Amino acid sequence: SSQIASFGHQPHQCPSTPASKEVWKKGGRMFSILLAVHLALLACTLVSSGAFEKLTVMMLIVIVWIIFYLVSTSRCPDAILCKDSHAGPIWLRGGLILFGIFSLVMDVFKIGYYSSFYSCLSAIKIIYPIVQAIFVVVQTYFLWVSAKDCVHVHLNVTRCGLMLTLTTNLAVWMSAVTDESVHKAHSKLKKNVTEEIFRWLLKAGMRSSSPEECNCNSHICQVFKNGYFWLYPFNIEYSLFASAMVYVMWKNVGRFIDHHSTFFVGIVLGLVILVSGLGVLILYEVQVNSSTESSKKSQALTMYYIFNIVCLGLMSLVCIGGSVIYRFDKRDMDRHKNPTRTLDVALLMGAALGQYAISYYSIVAIVASTPRDAISALNLTYALLMIAQHTFQNIFIIEGLHRQPPKEDHKHDSHQKDLYGLTFVNINAVSLRMPDSGSTLAPSTAAEAVHPSDLVRSLTAPKMMNWRRKFLREISMFLLLSNIILWIMPAFGARPQFDNDTELNFYGNSMWPAIVDICLPFGIFYRMHAVASLLEVYI
């Protein structure tokens, strides 16, 4: 019993976890996230301005960093202490290689196409597909051999390098989607080169002043041109696969694996929503702003509403699920007055009023207007789900803000805390040392005796709580990524309130834009504050 008592007072902690590194874990993550945000904005600027070739510099930096990572981890024996068996499954790496091969073929076709009229192109036009091919080869090898790594050296440099790699893949994905959309729009024109397209080509890097010199008239040139446009979808999928794998690697930096429970459902589903939303945003902007046909506008609105209905529906369901999980969470409620928390709740509730107002105005206009078409039905569903999602998400976040931190859960019961140190002791061995009814031990020793059933309950209860908290973290990761895309869409100009005629006809061309201009900034701020709150509570 004395041995058991000494065991019970030993702290149960991982002996290999360095406390000093854990202190800066969240700080390093936040710095790398800020770096990724700035790089993503830079990439959006380059893509929207047609300067795709400027992404060459980003790819070259990523290539240099990957080489540095491979060399540094191979030379340091303690660089990778453990591997995540759930990261980089064989089907994901196999798909990455398959799409990478087709991406290399696309780059070969690009090089052949641009070489057909080299005299009127800037050198960067041909350098870009060459660098992209090298980037695909180096990155594919890197992800094949390192996708499961949990790195424990150069933590901040590794996090920033992985975020740079992730942002570069998303930039390549955006450029491919934009280039493919522009090509499809231009292919419908009867003429080969109009004056407007020629100006765009000049901006993209043409050196010649004669349009005839830069026309693709030969048969081999047409083969290269049509070939690499047909291969764009494979390059798009390659970028998405690589982005998902790089993000998982970023999450695993400095991590010690608990092999009993690892989830990436929320992360993967959130990334699917994020990248799908970026694609919808680009297509929406291209079809609404560049086309004067009403059918194109209707298709863009339908696509926008369907995506948002699916996204808001999923977010509402997971928020309800999170609130249900909270009913079984044994953490105490923090009922003390906290000015910071009070301000967070007030900002969350106040900012939601803007989107509530827009939704209710839309509902009144749709219900009162006739006739009603499919877009009106989608708009009505979108407005109702927007109200529901804001409500359920506010409940979920506010409940998390009022919960005690997980690290304080086991500090309330000293008897239960002592039992946690016995996790490595055989339960049968412990039961043999339990004093029976006829024991001559002192009363204090008998009172502190541990019953095997109490030990089992004390050991299984933390595991059940950890499962619940992991589910809550997965839910929060999905909500975080979904809120990011719902913030990006209106912030970058996707505003169907101005493109839908129902509200404009009902409220007038002066009143409805004024309502949207006043209320929409609150909705954008709400998404930003929701992301900050989710990071504070769960991540």
Side-chain angles (χ1 to χ4, degrees), residues 48-67:
S48 60
S49 62
F52 301 157
E53 293 73 27
K54 303 300 186 295
L55 300 176
T56 304
V57 179
M58 295 180 66
M59 289 189 289
L60 287 173
I61 296 174
V62 171
I63 291 171
V64 172
W65 176 82
I66 288 176
I67 295 173

Side-chain angles (χ1 to χ4, degrees), residues 20-39 84 149-152 154-164 166-167 246-258 262-264 267 470 473-474 476-477 480 484 531 534-539:
S20 59
K21 292 184 179 180
E22 291 296 324
V23 171
W24 295 101
K25 182 177 181 180
K26 290 189 176 181
R29 282 186 176 180
M30 185 58 65
F31 180 78
S32 62
I33 290 173
L34 291 174
L35 175 64
V37 169
H38 286 284
L39 291 174
D84 185 0
D149 291 355
C150 297
V151 186
H152 290 273
H154 309 300
L155 297 184
N156 291 332
V157 175
T158 303
R159 289 190 183 104
C160 293
L162 288 171
M163 272 300 171
L164 173 62
L166 174 62
T167 310
V246 170
Y247 178 79
V248 173
M249 286 188 65
W250 176 79
K251 288 288 291 183
N252 282 334
V253 173
R255 180 172 173 230
F256 291 88
I257 296 297
D258 177 12
T262 305
F263 295 100
F264 292 107
I267 297 172
K470 288 181 184 296
R473 178 165 290 190
E474 293 301 318
S476 65
M477 282 302 306
L480 187 145
I484 288 175
V531 169
L534 289 167
L535 283 170
E536 177 185 354
V537 179
Y538 301 101
I539 311 302

Side-chain angles (χ1 to χ4, degrees), residues 123-139:
I124 193 67
K125 267 284 191 181
I126 299 179
I127 294 175
Y128 176 74
I130 295 174
V131 173
Q132 187 176 16
I134 299 172
F135 171 75
V136 169
V137 172
V138 174
Q139 181 178 246

Side-chain angles (χ1 to χ4, degrees), residues 370 425 518 531:
T370 54
V425 180
I518 292 172
V531 169

Side-chain angles (χ1 to χ4, degrees), residues 192-211:
N192 288 333
V193 179
T194 63
E195 187 66 25
E196 182 181 355
I197 299 175
F198 176 62
R199 288 200 189 105
W200 184 82
L201 291 173
L202 283 175
K203 189 177 181 181
M206 294 291 186
R207 286 202 306 251
S208 175
S209 60
S210 175

